[in-house]
PDB file of all heavy atoms in Angstrom:
ATOM      1  N   LEU A 458      17.478 -14.387  20.763  1.00 41.00           N
ATOM      2  CA  LEU A 458      18.593 -13.859  19.909  1.00 41.00           C
ATOM      3  C   LEU A 458      19.852 -14.501  20.376  1.00 41.00           C
ATOM      4  O   LEU A 458      19.915 -15.481  21.087  1.00 41.00           O
ATOM      5  CB  LEU A 458      18.616 -12.349  19.970  1.00 41.00           C
ATOM      6  CG  LEU A 458      18.417 -11.738  21.327  1.00 41.00           C
ATOM      7  CD1 LEU A 458      19.660 -11.899  22.124  1.00 41.00           C
ATOM      8  CD2 LEU A 458      18.007 -10.344  21.119  1.00 41.00           C
ATOM      9  N   ALA A 460      23.957 -14.893  21.602  1.00 36.00           N
ATOM     10  CA  ALA A 460      24.641 -15.004  22.857  1.00 36.00           C
ATOM     11  C   ALA A 460      24.327 -13.944  23.869  1.00 36.00           C
ATOM     12  O   ALA A 460      24.504 -12.738  23.655  1.00 36.00           O
ATOM     13  CB  ALA A 460      26.138 -14.945  22.638  1.00 36.00           C
ATOM     14  N   ARG A 481      31.946   4.144  16.500  1.00 46.00           N
ATOM     15  CA  ARG A 481      30.642   4.746  16.313  1.00 46.00           C
ATOM     16  C   ARG A 481      29.727   3.712  15.641  1.00 46.00           C
ATOM     17  O   ARG A 481      30.148   3.137  14.675  1.00 46.00           O
ATOM     18  CB  ARG A 481      30.797   5.967  15.400  1.00 46.00           C
ATOM     19  CG  ARG A 481      29.686   6.971  15.591  1.00 46.00           C
ATOM     20  CD  ARG A 481      29.697   7.786  14.369  1.00 46.00           C
ATOM     21  NE  ARG A 481      29.760   7.016  13.125  1.00 46.00           N
ATOM     22  CZ  ARG A 481      29.545   7.483  11.969  1.00 46.00           C
ATOM     23  NH1 ARG A 481      29.263   8.761  11.747  1.00 46.00           N
ATOM     24  NH2 ARG A 481      29.621   6.705  10.842  1.00 46.00           N
ATOM     25  N   ALA A 493       0.783   7.663  20.977  1.00 70.00           N
ATOM     26  CA  ALA A 493      -0.443   6.899  20.861  1.00 70.00           C
ATOM     27  C   ALA A 493      -1.167   7.320  19.576  1.00 70.00           C
ATOM     28  O   ALA A 493      -1.820   6.485  18.979  1.00 70.00           O
ATOM     29  CB  ALA A 493      -1.383   7.191  22.084  1.00 70.00           C
ATOM     30  N   ASP A 497       1.477  13.586  12.400  1.00 84.00           N
ATOM     31  CA  ASP A 497       1.015  14.333  11.231  1.00 84.00           C
ATOM     32  C   ASP A 497       1.630  13.885   9.931  1.00 84.00           C
ATOM     33  O   ASP A 497       1.023  13.813   8.911  1.00 84.00           O
ATOM     34  CB  ASP A 497       1.339  15.826  11.463  1.00 84.00           C
ATOM     35  CG  ASP A 497       0.334  16.450  12.441  1.00 84.00           C
ATOM     36  OD1 ASP A 497      -0.651  15.813  12.793  1.00 84.00           O
ATOM     37  OD2 ASP A 497       0.575  17.569  12.883  1.00 84.00           O
ATOM     38  N   ALA A 525     -22.153   0.261 -20.357  1.00 79.00           N
ATOM     39  CA  ALA A 525     -23.458   0.911 -20.263  1.00 79.00           C
ATOM     40  C   ALA A 525     -23.883   1.056 -18.776  1.00 79.00           C
ATOM     41  O   ALA A 525     -24.937   1.622 -18.544  1.00 79.00           O
ATOM     42  CB  ALA A 525     -24.472   0.086 -21.027  1.00 79.00           C
ATOM     43  N   VAL A 533     -23.092  -2.889  -7.396  1.00 90.00           N
ATOM     44  CA  VAL A 533     -24.201  -3.698  -6.989  1.00 90.00           C
ATOM     45  C   VAL A 533     -24.057  -5.109  -7.591  1.00 90.00           C
ATOM     46  O   VAL A 533     -24.087  -6.165  -6.965  1.00 90.00           O
ATOM     47  CB  VAL A 533     -25.512  -3.123  -7.354  1.00 90.00           C
ATOM     48  CG1 VAL A 533     -26.693  -4.100  -7.183  1.00 90.00           C
ATOM     49  CG2 VAL A 533     -25.807  -1.854  -6.496  1.00 90.00           C
ATOM     50  N   PHE A 535     -21.512  -6.541  -8.703  1.00 88.00           N
ATOM     51  CA  PHE A 535     -20.379  -7.282  -8.132  1.00 88.00           C
ATOM     52  C   PHE A 535     -20.733  -7.885  -6.721  1.00 88.00           C
ATOM     53  O   PHE A 535     -20.482  -9.036  -6.500  1.00 88.00           O
ATOM     54  CB  PHE A 535     -19.204  -6.346  -7.987  1.00 88.00           C
ATOM     55  CG  PHE A 535     -17.978  -7.145  -7.542  1.00 88.00           C
ATOM     56  CD1 PHE A 535     -17.156  -7.716  -8.446  1.00 88.00           C
ATOM     57  CD2 PHE A 535     -17.679  -7.172  -6.173  1.00 88.00           C
ATOM     58  CE1 PHE A 535     -16.011  -8.404  -8.040  1.00 88.00           C
ATOM     59  CE2 PHE A 535     -16.583  -7.914  -5.766  1.00 88.00           C
ATOM     60  CZ  PHE A 535     -15.768  -8.490  -6.688  1.00 88.00           C
ATOM     61  N   ASP A 547     -28.723  -5.855   3.194  1.00 86.00           N
ATOM     62  CA  ASP A 547     -27.369  -6.146   3.481  1.00 86.00           C
ATOM     63  C   ASP A 547     -26.443  -5.469   2.449  1.00 86.00           C
ATOM     64  O   ASP A 547     -25.446  -4.818   2.799  1.00 86.00           O
ATOM     65  CB  ASP A 547     -27.169  -7.678   3.388  1.00 86.00           C
ATOM     66  CG  ASP A 547     -25.723  -8.052   3.533  1.00 86.00           C
ATOM     67  OD1 ASP A 547     -25.033  -7.455   4.410  1.00 86.00           O
ATOM     68  OD2 ASP A 547     -25.244  -8.914   2.716  1.00 86.00           O
ATOM     69  N   ARG A 551     -23.495  -2.491   2.890  1.00 82.00           N
ATOM     70  CA  ARG A 551     -22.053  -2.640   2.466  1.00 82.00           C
ATOM     71  C   ARG A 551     -21.719  -1.549   1.494  1.00 82.00           C
ATOM     72  O   ARG A 551     -20.553  -1.091   1.501  1.00 82.00           O
ATOM     73  CB  ARG A 551     -21.866  -4.014   1.835  1.00 82.00           C
ATOM     74  CG  ARG A 551     -21.430  -5.015   2.888  1.00 82.00           C
ATOM     75  CD  ARG A 551     -20.941  -6.274   2.279  1.00 82.00           C
ATOM     76  NE  ARG A 551     -22.114  -7.083   1.784  1.00 82.00           N
ATOM     77  CZ  ARG A 551     -21.955  -8.301   1.178  1.00 82.00           C
ATOM     78  NH1 ARG A 551     -20.753  -8.789   1.010  1.00 82.00           N
ATOM     79  NH2 ARG A 551     -22.984  -8.952   0.772  1.00 82.00           N
ATOM     80  N   ARG A 564     -34.477  -3.461  -9.413  1.00 92.00           N
ATOM     81  CA  ARG A 564     -35.639  -3.634 -10.329  1.00 92.00           C
ATOM     82  C   ARG A 564     -35.237  -3.593 -11.771  1.00 92.00           C
ATOM     83  O   ARG A 564     -35.605  -4.398 -12.558  1.00 92.00           O
ATOM     84  CB  ARG A 564     -36.667  -2.546 -10.060  1.00 92.00           C
ATOM     85  CG  ARG A 564     -37.892  -2.623 -10.946  1.00 92.00           C
ATOM     86  CD  ARG A 564     -39.043  -1.744 -10.506  1.00 92.00           C
ATOM     87  NE  ARG A 564     -38.551  -0.504  -9.931  1.00 92.00           N
ATOM     88  CZ  ARG A 564     -38.715   0.724 -10.455  1.00 92.00           C
ATOM     89  NH1 ARG A 564     -39.388   0.862 -11.569  1.00 92.00           N
ATOM     90  NH2 ARG A 564     -38.252   1.772  -9.874  1.00 92.00           N
ATOM     91  N   LYS A 569     -33.916  -6.380 -16.828  1.00 90.00           N
ATOM     92  CA  LYS A 569     -32.996  -6.719 -17.916  1.00 90.00           C
ATOM     93  C   LYS A 569     -32.560  -8.176 -17.825  1.00 90.00           C
ATOM     94  O   LYS A 569     -31.772  -8.605 -18.651  1.00 90.00           O
ATOM     95  CB  LYS A 569     -31.697  -5.821 -17.815  1.00 90.00           C
ATOM     96  CG  LYS A 569     -31.950  -4.409 -18.297  1.00 90.00           C
ATOM     97  CD  LYS A 569     -30.647  -3.645 -18.208  1.00 90.00           C
ATOM     98  CE  LYS A 569     -30.894  -2.207 -18.446  1.00 90.00           C
ATOM     99  NZ  LYS A 569     -29.916  -1.319 -17.809  1.00 90.00           N
ATOM    100  N   THR A 589     -28.331 -14.077 -12.615  1.00 91.00           N
ATOM    101  CA  THR A 589     -28.680 -15.051 -13.642  1.00 91.00           C
ATOM    102  C   THR A 589     -27.496 -15.370 -14.503  1.00 91.00           C
ATOM    103  O   THR A 589     -26.415 -14.765 -14.301  1.00 91.00           O
ATOM    104  CB  THR A 589     -29.783 -14.487 -14.576  1.00 91.00           C
ATOM    105  OG1 THR A 589     -29.189 -13.348 -15.237  1.00 91.00           O
ATOM    106  CG2 THR A 589     -30.991 -14.043 -13.819  1.00 91.00           C
ATOM    107  N   THR A 617      10.202  -6.649 -12.219  1.00 83.00           N
ATOM    108  CA  THR A 617      10.700  -7.068 -10.936  1.00 83.00           C
ATOM    109  C   THR A 617      10.294  -6.176  -9.840  1.00 83.00           C
ATOM    110  O   THR A 617      10.523  -6.497  -8.607  1.00 83.00           O
ATOM    111  CB  THR A 617      12.182  -7.296 -10.968  1.00 83.00           C
ATOM    112  OG1 THR A 617      12.740  -6.196 -11.656  1.00 83.00           O
ATOM    113  CG2 THR A 617      12.502  -8.560 -11.678  1.00 83.00           C
ATOM    114  N   ALA A 620       6.181  -7.053  -7.777  1.00 89.00           N
ATOM    115  CA  ALA A 620       5.998  -7.823  -6.520  1.00 89.00           C
ATOM    116  C   ALA A 620       5.993  -6.915  -5.349  1.00 89.00           C
ATOM    117  O   ALA A 620       5.213  -7.103  -4.381  1.00 89.00           O
ATOM    118  CB  ALA A 620       6.959  -8.950  -6.403  1.00 89.00           C
ATOM    119  N   ALA A 621       6.904  -5.936  -5.353  1.00 91.00           N
ATOM    120  CA  ALA A 621       7.013  -5.036  -4.219  1.00 91.00           C
ATOM    121  C   ALA A 621       5.717  -4.263  -4.036  1.00 91.00           C
ATOM    122  O   ALA A 621       5.172  -4.045  -2.902  1.00 91.00           O
ATOM    123  CB  ALA A 621       8.162  -4.099  -4.405  1.00 91.00           C
ATOM    124  N   THR A 627      -0.897  -5.561  -0.176  1.00 92.00           N
ATOM    125  CA  THR A 627      -1.419  -6.721   0.602  1.00 92.00           C
ATOM    126  C   THR A 627      -1.222  -6.444   2.093  1.00 92.00           C
ATOM    127  O   THR A 627      -2.126  -6.672   2.913  1.00 92.00           O
ATOM    128  CB  THR A 627      -0.751  -7.958   0.134  1.00 92.00           C
ATOM    129  OG1 THR A 627      -0.945  -8.092  -1.273  1.00 92.00           O
ATOM    130  CG2 THR A 627      -1.463  -9.166   0.845  1.00 92.00           C
ATOM    131  N   VAL A 629      -0.914  -3.578   3.562  1.00 92.00           N
ATOM    132  CA  VAL A 629      -1.762  -2.470   4.013  1.00 92.00           C
ATOM    133  C   VAL A 629      -3.212  -3.031   4.273  1.00 92.00           C
ATOM    134  O   VAL A 629      -3.802  -2.746   5.299  1.00 92.00           O
ATOM    135  CB  VAL A 629      -1.848  -1.375   2.986  1.00 92.00           C
ATOM    136  CG1 VAL A 629      -3.008  -0.341   3.407  1.00 92.00           C
ATOM    137  CG2 VAL A 629      -0.527  -0.665   2.868  1.00 92.00           C
ATOM    138  N   ARG A 636     -10.938  -5.105  12.719  1.00 67.00           N
ATOM    139  CA  ARG A 636     -10.918  -6.206  13.747  1.00 67.00           C
ATOM    140  C   ARG A 636     -12.261  -6.872  13.753  1.00 67.00           C
ATOM    141  O   ARG A 636     -13.330  -6.276  13.640  1.00 67.00           O
ATOM    142  CB  ARG A 636     -10.625  -5.645  15.120  1.00 67.00           C
ATOM    143  CG  ARG A 636      -9.394  -4.788  15.194  1.00 67.00           C
ATOM    144  CD  ARG A 636      -8.178  -5.519  15.704  1.00 67.00           C
ATOM    145  NE  ARG A 636      -6.978  -5.036  15.061  1.00 67.00           N
ATOM    146  CZ  ARG A 636      -6.233  -5.678  14.199  1.00 67.00           C
ATOM    147  NH1 ARG A 636      -6.545  -6.898  13.814  1.00 67.00           N
ATOM    148  NH2 ARG A 636      -5.156  -5.103  13.696  1.00 67.00           N
ATOM    149  N   GLU A 694      17.589 -27.573  10.406  1.00 96.00           N
ATOM    150  CA  GLU A 694      17.219 -26.221  10.709  1.00 96.00           C
ATOM    151  C   GLU A 694      16.085 -25.819   9.779  1.00 96.00           C
ATOM    152  O   GLU A 694      15.962 -26.327   8.689  1.00 96.00           O
ATOM    153  CB  GLU A 694      18.375 -25.248  10.498  1.00 96.00           C
ATOM    154  CG  GLU A 694      19.605 -25.585  11.409  1.00 96.00           C
ATOM    155  CD  GLU A 694      20.598 -24.424  11.457  1.00 96.00           C
ATOM    156  OE1 GLU A 694      20.611 -23.625  10.540  1.00 96.00           O
ATOM    157  OE2 GLU A 694      21.311 -24.388  12.437  1.00 96.00           O
ATOM    158  N   GLU A 700       1.708 -15.891   7.207  1.00 94.00           N
ATOM    159  CA  GLU A 700       1.006 -14.983   6.391  1.00 94.00           C
ATOM    160  C   GLU A 700      -0.365 -14.727   6.924  1.00 94.00           C
ATOM    161  O   GLU A 700      -1.047 -15.659   7.300  1.00 94.00           O
ATOM    162  CB  GLU A 700       0.887 -15.463   4.967  1.00 94.00           C
ATOM    163  CG  GLU A 700       2.070 -15.273   4.102  1.00 94.00           C
ATOM    164  CD  GLU A 700       1.780 -15.738   2.677  1.00 94.00           C
ATOM    165  OE1 GLU A 700       0.704 -16.227   2.415  1.00 94.00           O
ATOM    166  OE2 GLU A 700       2.701 -15.514   1.829  1.00 94.00           O
ATOM    167  N   SER A 715      23.164 -27.623  19.222  1.00 95.00           N
ATOM    168  CA  SER A 715      24.058 -28.759  19.333  1.00 95.00           C
ATOM    169  C   SER A 715      23.367 -29.976  18.796  1.00 95.00           C
ATOM    170  O   SER A 715      22.185 -29.885  18.393  1.00 95.00           O
ATOM    171  CB  SER A 715      24.520 -29.044  20.774  1.00 95.00           C
ATOM    172  OG  SER A 715      23.442 -29.666  21.471  1.00 95.00           O
ATOM    173  N   LEU A 739       3.305 -20.349  15.864  1.00 97.00           N
ATOM    174  CA  LEU A 739       4.730 -20.392  15.429  1.00 97.00           C
ATOM    175  C   LEU A 739       5.508 -21.175  16.412  1.00 97.00           C
ATOM    176  O   LEU A 739       6.413 -21.947  16.057  1.00 97.00           O
ATOM    177  CB  LEU A 739       5.267 -18.968  15.298  1.00 97.00           C
ATOM    178  CG  LEU A 739       4.750 -18.215  14.057  1.00 97.00           C
ATOM    179  CD1 LEU A 739       5.031 -16.741  14.114  1.00 97.00           C
ATOM    180  CD2 LEU A 739       5.340 -18.837  12.762  1.00 97.00           C
ATOM    181  N   THR A 744       8.167 -26.664  18.055  1.00 96.00           N
ATOM    182  CA  THR A 744       8.233 -27.835  18.938  1.00 96.00           C
ATOM    183  C   THR A 744       8.020 -29.118  18.131  1.00 96.00           C
ATOM    184  O   THR A 744       8.821 -30.089  18.293  1.00 96.00           O
ATOM    185  CB  THR A 744       7.169 -27.751  20.001  1.00 96.00           C
ATOM    186  OG1 THR A 744       7.125 -26.416  20.528  1.00 96.00           O
ATOM    187  CG2 THR A 744       7.346 -28.700  21.114  1.00 96.00           C
ATOM    188  N   ALA A 790      19.449  -4.542  30.270  1.00 90.00           N
ATOM    189  CA  ALA A 790      18.418  -5.488  30.065  1.00 90.00           C
ATOM    190  C   ALA A 790      18.811  -6.836  30.644  1.00 90.00           C
ATOM    191  O   ALA A 790      19.979  -7.007  31.114  1.00 90.00           O
ATOM    192  CB  ALA A 790      18.140  -5.689  28.585  1.00 90.00           C
TER     193      ALA A 790
END
Side-chain angles (χ1 to χ4, degrees):
Chain A
L458 41 77
R481 203 199 48 165
D497 282 350
V533 168
F535 185 88
D547 174 42
R551 269 191 286 181
R564 178 169 36 115
K569 284 184 190 151
T589 62
T617 41
T627 307
V629 173
R636 309 260 149 249
E694 300 194 336
E700 280 185 355
S715 74
L739 287 166
T744 313

